[in-house]
Amino acid sequence: MIATLLPTMSIGMPLSCQRGTTEIQDGVLDYGPLLDKTPIVRVLLINDAKDAQLAIRGSYQITGSLTNIIEQGQGLQNATISVTNSSIKIGNKNYDNSELRITSLRDGEIELNKVRYRGEIRILLQFNNKFSVINEIDLESFVAGVLGSEMMPSWNEEALRAQAVTARTYALYKKKKRRDEVYHLDMLELAYRGMAGETTRLNKIVQETKGVVMVYNWNIFPAYFHSTCGGHTEDSNHVFGKDSIPPLSGVVCNYCNNSKYSRWSTDINKSDIEKRLRESNIYVSNINTIKTLDPGVGNHGSRVEIISANGSKEMNANDFRLLVGPNYLYSTAFNSRNNGKSITFSGRGWGHGVGLCQYGAQAMAEKGFKWTAILEYYYPKINLVRVY
Ligand SMILES: [Zn+2]
């Protein structure tokens, strides 16, 4: 964990005062490895599942939670994972275990619900006769998987490098924050489709920034990113209610005008909004008005007020966006108009607006900015450090 792994770093001390730093490439400081090996991250792939499809290519081994080898085998055809209250079933084999770890040996692949993964797959029995699956994977392979899912693989390599460092920083922060939890990251936070997103070009780009993360005042921080800010990135305090730090306070962005989500307008039926809110036990009917309150520097509202037959309700704006659906209501920087059966939302940007603007990063790269300059633009006052 980075807090203990960066023991010589004290808050606020300038980098040049630190031990033996050398600049390895434009502005990235190298201390010699601070971590002795590439960290492993635990990613929640599925939760509350009743069944899932598993296939394995190459040789593999299955262990219990205590690394006792239960089985070794060679390839596994499509098999269904299911559970009882005390055992896990794979195909027609029953294992009296509450956890199974499946490791592919010698560069094999594990396929879960048609998506191929590197590393280890852990199946964990839940209390409700359901199960969850966690992928334990080295951070570099994880970053490669995220990169191919979060950005167009054909984008400028400087933008892809910036995204790789962003994803690595975010994942390492979450590993530190959730070090005692069953998993560090879940699929709601960032897109990750295992090996599906990987290409030779992307793997090379990840390799070129291997071990590089952003720090602010010697601390790793949640390096949020999003598709399109719409003109100004947002202060994390307004979106997530967390203390602001300079790298997450918002900057002007004149680079994402080419994104089709830079400005948008969409009609959403009131009944759909009411239904989606109801699924989270928020009850409104006959919506009259939806407006954003307390916008931040990037004009993304921090709360929304919903005026309906049930009176006035306020809730966190980003939660509202996610409940309605991030593919319907693109951002919280919107105005709205009541059309009777539907509400017309007109807004800017796609995503929460905090941190790196992906379309902006791509436009900066096309204009000739290096990945280090892109990161220093969207996350002011950071230092780039190689930690392994
Ligand atoms: Zn932008």
Side-chain angles (χ1 to χ4, degrees), residues 88-310:
I88 299 170
K89 205 172 167 188
I90 299 177
N92 46 25
K93 272 193 187 166
N94 210 47
Y95 303 86
D96 287 325
N97 292 72
S98 58
E99 174 176 356
L100 292 179
R101 285 172 174 262
I102 306 172
T103 315
S104 61
L105 306 171
R106 293 188 293 279
D107 260 7
E109 292 168 8
I110 303 174
E111 197 178 284
L112 182 78
N113 288 340
K114 305 280 178 208
V115 181
R116 294 175 299 137
Y117 294 95
R118 295 183 189 279
E120 193 170 84
I121 292 285
R122 292 168 61 192
I123 305 166
L124 290 120
L125 197 59
Q126 295 176 189
F127 290 110
N128 49 2
N129 282 2
K130 293 179 184 172
F131 63 95
S132 54
V133 179
I134 289 168
N135 183 201
E136 284 207 8
I137 183 166
D138 74 273
L139 185 50
E140 293 304 304
S141 299
F142 177 69
V143 168
V146 171
L147 189 57
S149 309
E150 280 286 352
M151 266 191 179
M152 300 284 279
S154 58
W155 274 15
N156 188 294
E157 60 186 45
E158 298 297 333
L160 290 162
R161 285 193 191 105
Q163 176 69 77
V165 174
T166 301
R168 186 181 296 112
T169 304
Y170 185 84
L172 203 51
Y173 168 82
K174 291 307 291 269
K175 179 179 165 91
K176 178 193 165 196
K177 177 106 176 147
R178 296 178 60 90
R179 59 184 169 269
D180 300 324
E181 311 281 330
V182 180
Y183 62 89
H184 305 130
L185 294 139
D186 69 48
M187 309 292 274
L188 298 174
E189 298 173 81
L190 26 70
Y192 168 59
R193 291 180 294 118
M195 296 171 71
E198 289 186 28
T199 64
T200 313
R201 177 172 182 254
L202 293 185
N203 288 350
K204 182 170 170 282
I205 284 167
V206 172
Q207 179 65 30
E208 285 160 358
T209 65
K210 186 183 173 189
V212 176
V213 294
M214 293 180 276
V215 291
Y216 170 68
N217 267 353
W218 298 108
N219 288 311
I220 197 144
F221 62 95
Y224 295 107
F225 55 92
H226 60 279
S227 164
T228 305
C229 74
H232 200 300
T233 65
E234 195 49 88
D235 185 334
S236 64
N237 179 260
H238 275 260
V239 179
F240 303 113
K242 292 175 184 157
D243 287 347
S244 285
I245 55 169
L248 300 175
S249 295
V251 295
V252 174
C253 171
N254 292 320
Y255 297 106
C256 59
N257 303 330
N258 286 341
S259 164
K260 65 176 177 177
Y261 304 104
S262 181
R263 282 187 171 71
W264 51 264
S265 180
T266 187
D267 249 28
I268 306 179
N269 283 335
K270 289 180 183 176
S271 58
D272 289 338
I273 298 172
E274 289 164 9
K275 178 168 167 281
R276 292 193 184 115
L277 293 177
R278 195 160 59 238
E279 285 163 2
S280 292
N281 299 319
I282 298 164
Y283 299 96
V284 293
S285 56
N286 294 322
I287 294 171
N288 182 43
T289 311
I290 298 177
K291 62 179 175 191
T292 57
L293 303 172
D294 192 18
V297 286
N299 213 31
H300 295 72
S302 52
R303 285 170 291 124
V304 289
E305 182 184 17
I306 307 164
I307 300 170
S308 73
N310 305 57

